[in-house]
Amino acid sequence: MTQKTVTIKTSLDARQAAFFVQTAGKFQSDIRIAIEEKKVNAKSIMGTIALGMREGQCVNISADGADEVEAVEELAAVLA
């Protein structure tokens, strides 16, 4: 399992959340994102929007699978 904590640079609107989910969908790994105690599947648009990711929040990205390192790094880059 690979994890990384990132501070969000810009709040995610619906379009940016869709881009984040599309990026997560490119990977085979099981990917989760968490803010405080809320944890959702990064490949779920509804879950991602429900997190309400705002500028300045810290989000934890974790992945488990064959391409977990690449997944975490690329998704961290999308948020940062």
Side-chain angles (χ1 to χ4, degrees):
M1 177 173 281
T2 302
Q3 296 185 61
K4 186 169 192 171
T5 301
V6 179
T7 301
I8 300 171
K9 295 282 184 179
T10 336
S11 298
L12 265 67
D13 60 20
R15 186 171 46 105
Q16 293 163 325
F19 177 72
F20 180 85
V21 170
Q22 286 174 343
T23 303
K26 297 188 318 185
F27 299 100
Q28 293 178 352
S29 296
D30 178 38
I31 307 167
R32 303 280 174 184
I33 51 175
I35 296 178
E36 297 169 4
E37 68 280 345
K38 295 181 189 175
K39 190 172 193 177
V40 299
N41 182 346
K43 297 178 183 180
S44 164
I45 187 69
M46 295 307 290
T48 302
I49 290 173
L51 277 180
M53 292 188 269
R54 295 183 315 274
E55 180 179 345
Q57 284 184 311
C58 288
V59 62
N60 184 349
I61 305 167
S62 60
D64 192 17
D67 51 4
E68 63 189 45
V69 174
E70 296 87 2
V72 168
E73 291 303 320
E74 190 164 337
L75 291 172
V78 169
L79 294 177

